[in-house]
Each structure stands twice: as structure tokens, then as C-alpha cells.
Amino acid sequence: MTPDQQVRPLIELQGVHKSFGSFPVLKGVSLSVQDGGVVCIIGPSGSGKSTILRCINGLTPIDRGTIRVGSFAVETLKSDKDLVPLRHQVAMVFQQYNLFPHRTVLQNLTMAPIQVLGEDPTQVRERALSLLAKVRLTGKEAAYPGELSGGQQQRVAIARALAMQPRVILFDEVTAALDPEMVSEVLSVIRDLAREGMTCVLVTHEMRFAEEVADEVFFTDRGVIVEHGPPSTIFKAPGDERLKSFLEKVL
Amino acid sequence: MTLDFSWLADPLYQQWLLRGLGTTILMSLLGIVLMFIIGIAGAACIHFRLPVLETLTTILVELFRNTPPLVQLFFLYFMLSEIGLTLTDSATGRSIPLFSGFTCVVLSLGLYNGAIAVEIIRSGLLAVPSQTVEGARSLGYSRLQTFRHVELPIGLRMSIPAMTNNVVSLIKTSSQAVLVAVADIMYGATQIMLETFRNLEVMILIWIIYVVIASLAVVAARRIAAAVRIPGYGM
């Protein structure tokens, strides 16, 4: 790796604006994520956290600003065909799992690599089986998502994201719909990924987890990033008043 | 009042009924195929909001859904014969009309029940959770691929109960073929009534035959629904 690549972040957002109708959700968001970095975005509901993630993989088109992921200028990608290579590199895991209910667990993992990326089914299947082992779901290959618990479904969703062999995974409040006892099984999978060097961007309400895994934490409020820094600073010595009052409420 | 079913022993009447039954089933099957093609294509036009085609589909759906199928059949039958498209039989050299009564009935069934099928499939597609669609989009599926691999398979499953009603309606509506001189089961029945005057007995038989055909269709639909059921999905 050349020094130039080392300093150049994998993801870079600059002055991103987005309104839904007349309501501005993002009012000039800038952030960057290093390759292999783990970034957590925290903040009150409706502050635009999820919208930031959805903009990064092009699910939500932006009004103004630039988003760069690797060599892609995301705001310039318009057609489905242009977006395929981006979505190959940037996978996403959702709060509601968003699995394919009519396909088995194994098919959920293999569908996109075969149908979208046109990869060899035998290889994809092997990779999918080892990913299921990784998220500790071996034996559930033939089950349907509706037959699994929330925590198991979310682990399938993570494995499905990994099956695309992405460079980045975006996690959108992935434990928010889970029972407390299932939260830990999902978090431990994410923790493993972060340790292995997968670039992760997490929107989360799990403050202790954010403190543990994040290299950098961004605090959003009303469409702007109010404060960012290493978790030790954000959680132990917050500067901004809004961040202080937010942390008082959630910690 | 005594019922006399002795005419049923007549081989000629048996032949009329069996041939008629075959025609009824064939018309219904072809009509169902056409209904599904129209239903899926029409629902896709509206779903993708295709310019021009979306409006055109909506107008045609209203037109065929809101007029009596008999009016449509007569309209098709007289309009198409007026246009007078014919093809020449290569064996006999005779000129035969391209749109026979049989073709008109199949077209009419396909259009009438197809228009209803468009709405049924569309409502099934609307019932597919937006999160599921988003999951596909985030994996790089194009809108067309999402439709083919995710929305349509789930949406069609959701539309099975309503579609079963539509199929039964189609089978029953096929009985109007008799009015454009197609020798279906109703036609056979009418002929037998004219010859035997056993109107009530013949109608009792026809009634039973339609109940059996429609019930078989319902059983088949239930089998299909069970075979494609999504485990744990509340369907």
C-alpha cells in the first residue's frame, strides 16, 4: 500500500444535504471512514443517522454535496447498472433484517452473488456454508427466515451481506428490534468482523458497544454532525452540550 | 314430479356431453393461461409506472372489468368477424375465419378475467414489504431483477386466494360460449333439451358438472398454495 492510499479514507462525505419534501434531514454532513476502520454514528431519533448510511450505498439520492466510496462518486451513479459495482462493495444490514422470506437461509446468502454478480454457484455455495458457520448457524441452511428467531435472522442478514464479499458493511440499528438476550449474539458477530479488519459503519443505540469497538464516533443532531472523535473523548469528555444531555439520557 | 334420466343412456347424448365437457375444459385452461399473461404483464406495467402503458393498462382494466362479459364476447365476436380476417386451409383450400367462436371465447375470458387478475396481482405486489424490496436493492438487484426474483414470487403467493375466485369465475363464464355457437358443455345440454324436453334433468346434470369442475379447480389451487407456502410467513 502506498502512503497516498493509507491517508486517503475509504469513505468520504462532504457537505451532504438531503431533504424529504420540505423537511431537511441532512444539513451539510461531512465524515470519513478509513479502510478497516470502525465508525459508530450515534444521536437522537430523527437526527439523520440512518439517512447517512442509506446515502452511502445510494439507496437515498442526495440533493447536494459529494460522497466517495473507494473509486466511486456515489452521487453520480443513477442507473441500476451503475449501482451494481457500488453495492458489490458496500453491503448493508437493516434493523428489520430484510431477508427474502420465500427463500431458505442458504438461498438468501447465494441468491445475490449468483443472480447479480454472476458468480459460479458451486463456489458461492461453499462460501455461503462457511459464512453460516462463521455466524454460528450451521444446520439452519434449509430453514426459512420466518422459522428463525430475530437474533438468528439478523445473523443470516450479516452472513448475506458478507456473501457479497464487500469492502464495507453498513449496520443500520441492527439490534434495535431484538430481545436483549439476542442482542449479544449479534453484537459478538459484529465484534469479530471489526477485529478481522472489515470496514464497518454502525448506526447504533448500544453505547457500550460503540465505546468498545469504534475507532471513531460521530454524534449527529438535527441533520448535522455536532461532535466527533475517539470513543474515549466522546463518552468520557464530551464537549458539546447537546452531546452531554444525550449521553446523560442514554447511558 | 318424477325425474327421468333415461336419456343419459343414449350414446349420442353421451358423446355430446363428453365432447362439450372437453371443449369447456380446454377453453377454460387456455383462458386461464391468457388471464395470467395479461394479469402479470398488466400488473408489471402499472407497478413500474411505465409511461403511456400504465395509463393504457388502467383504462383497459376499467373497460373490461366494468362491462358484462357477455357484452364483451358479442362485441369481440361481431367486431372480429366484421374485420373478416381469414386464413386458408392448406389441405382443403377452404377459407376459414381466423377468429372462430372458440377463439373469441378464449380471448374474451382472458381479457375479462385478465383485467381482474391485473388488480389481484397488483394488490399482491403491494403487499410485499418495502423492507424486503430494499434488502434486494441494497444487494445490487435492479428494479427488474427485484421484480422477478423477489416481488413477483412473493406477490403471486399472496394473490392465490383472490386468484382462485377469479379462476372459478372464468370457468363459469365460459358457459356463455353457447351463445356464439361453440359446442361446449352448455351447448350439448341445450341440444339434448331441445330433443328430449327433459329440461330440469339436463340442468341438474349440468349444475353438478360445473360444481365438480369448479371444485377441482379450487382443490388444485389449494394444493398449489400448500406447495409454495412460505414457512413462518403467516400465509
Side-chain angles (χ1 to χ4, degrees):
Chain A
M1 201 182 270
T2 65
D4 180 49
Q5 279 172 319
Q6 277 177 348
V7 292
R8 200 178 181 212
L10 181 61
I11 303 173
E12 234 176 345
L13 279 72
Q14 265 169 4
V16 171
H17 286 73
K18 173 70 190 178
S19 298
F20 290 122
S22 60
F23 180 72
V25 190
L26 302 180
K27 296 182 281 196
V29 168
S30 301
L31 65 82
S32 58
V33 181
Q34 296 296 331
D35 198 356
V38 178
V39 161
C40 287
I41 304 173
I42 62 170
S45 293
S47 62
K49 308 181 296 287
S50 294
T51 309
I52 294 175
L53 289 195
R54 301 166 59 84
C55 290
I56 294 176
N57 78 342
L59 273 182
T60 302
I62 60 172
D63 300 334
R64 206 140 51 82
T66 58
I67 301 177
R68 186 184 57 75
V69 177
S71 56
F72 299 103
V74 179
E75 75 279 2
T76 64
L77 306 175
K78 300 279 185 250
S79 73
D80 287 345
K81 221 176 122 198
D82 291 344
L83 283 161
V84 170
L86 173 74
R87 288 176 176 160
H88 184 184
Q89 296 208 347
V90 184
M92 189 156 179
V93 183
F94 300 86
Q95 182 177 347
Q96 300 293 340
Y97 334 127
N98 300 12
L99 294 169
F100 302 127
H102 61 304
R103 291 282 176 251
T104 65
V105 166
L106 188 63
Q107 287 169 333
N108 262 275
L109 268 64
T110 57
M111 272 171 79
I114 295 170
Q115 291 170 346
V116 177
L117 305 177
E119 292 181 28
D120 172 48
T122 333
Q123 283 180 10
V124 173
R125 200 187 130 84
E126 264 172 42
R127 190 163 81 221
L129 288 173
S130 71
L131 284 171
L132 282 178
K134 188 187 175 84
V135 298
R136 295 180 275 280
L137 282 173
T138 300
K140 294 286 183 193
E141 292 84 0
Y144 283 82
E147 299 173 314
L148 302 180
S149 73
Q152 290 172 326
Q153 289 189 58
Q154 195 58 291
R155 283 183 281 149
V156 174
I158 294 172
R160 182 177 73 168
L162 288 168
M164 294 290 280
Q165 299 183 302
R167 288 181 74 185
V168 189
I169 302 184
L170 312 173
F171 295 90
D172 187 6
E173 302 195 28
V174 292
T175 57
L178 297 177
D179 292 341
E181 56 190 314
M182 293 173 183
V183 170
S184 63
E185 66 186 44
V186 171
L187 289 185
S188 81
V189 169
I190 302 175
R191 188 182 290 117
D192 291 347
L193 288 178
R195 284 198 187 128
E196 289 163 18
M198 173 63 78
T199 310
C200 299
V201 184
L202 297 102
V203 165
T204 184
H205 290 291
E206 301 288 333
M207 295 304 152
R208 305 213 179 284
F209 184 68
E211 192 173 356
E212 177 201 330
V213 298
D215 302 319
E216 190 163 25
V217 178
F218 288 80
F219 172 67
T220 58
D221 190 26
R222 288 174 232 161
V224 291
I225 288 170
V226 179
E227 191 168 339
H228 69 98
S232 52
T233 319
I234 293 285
F235 291 109
K236 300 286 188 263
D240 185 85
E241 282 307 315
R242 280 187 280 178
L243 174 55
K244 276 183 196 164
S245 81
F246 174 75
L247 289 174
E248 271 167 28
K249 279 179 223 155
V250 297
L251 283 180
Chain B
M1 187 183 72
T2 50
L3 295 174
D4 176 9
F5 280 96
S6 57
W7 49 272
L8 256 177
D10 189 324
L12 179 66
Y13 295 164
Q14 289 173 359
Q15 196 192 3
W16 284 355
L17 287 172
L18 284 176
R19 286 216 178 137
L21 182 63
T23 306
T24 291
I25 291 173
L26 185 63
M27 278 191 307
S28 300
L29 286 177
L30 292 173
I32 288 167
V33 170
L34 189 61
M35 172 196 85
F36 269 107
I37 294 171
I38 291 175
I40 292 173
C45 286
I46 298 178
H47 180 76
F48 285 112
R49 313 204 57 121
L50 297 176
V52 187
L53 282 177
E54 185 198 0
T55 318
L56 190 69
T57 309
T58 311
I59 293 171
L60 288 177
V61 164
E62 294 306 321
L63 207 63
F64 283 104
R65 196 171 53 156
N66 300 339
T67 51
L70 184 58
V71 175
Q72 292 169 23
L73 175 62
F74 279 177
F75 176 77
L76 269 174
Y77 189 63
F78 294 123
M79 187 191 72
L80 294 176
S81 59
E82 192 75 18
I83 294 172
L85 290 175
T86 54
L87 50 88
T88 314
D89 191 323
S90 55
T92 60
R94 271 196 323 162
S95 167
I96 47 176
L98 184 59
F99 293 103
S100 61
F102 183 89
T103 317
C104 286
V105 173
V106 171
L107 282 177
S108 153
L109 292 174
L111 287 168
Y112 173 67
N113 292 97
I116 299 168
V118 169
E119 290 300 305
I120 292 174
I121 293 173
R122 203 167 69 89
S123 69
L125 292 173
L126 286 174
V128 178
S130 60
Q131 289 95 337
T132 309
V133 174
E134 201 157 67
R137 303 285 289 152
S138 77
L139 289 164
Y141 280 85
S142 67
R143 286 196 65 194
L144 195 63
Q145 285 175 317
T146 308
F147 183 75
R148 188 177 144 214
H149 296 295
V150 179
E151 289 170 291
L152 197 58
I154 301 175
L156 281 181
R157 284 172 167 92
M158 300 226 195
S159 60
I160 290 176
M163 196 59 86
T164 308
N165 289 337
N166 200 28
V167 165
V168 170
S169 146
L170 183 146
I171 293 169
K172 293 185 296 183
T173 312
S174 76
S175 65
Q176 63 192 18
V178 67
L179 297 165
V180 291
V182 174
D184 73 335
I185 184 85
M186 264 309 277
Y187 187 91
T190 326
Q191 295 297 101
I192 297 170
M193 286 196 294
L194 285 175
E195 291 198 4
T196 63
F197 302 109
R198 286 287 160 200
N199 298 359
L200 179 62
E201 289 88 341
V202 175
M203 273 308 122
I204 289 174
L205 178 73
I206 295 304
W207 190 310
I208 293 170
I209 289 175
Y210 273 110
V211 166
V212 170
I213 304 175
S215 304
L216 287 176
V218 171
V219 169
R222 284 211 190 115
R223 287 263 173 98
I224 293 171
V228 301
R229 193 182 72 87
I230 303 176
Y233 200 57
M235 291 188 355

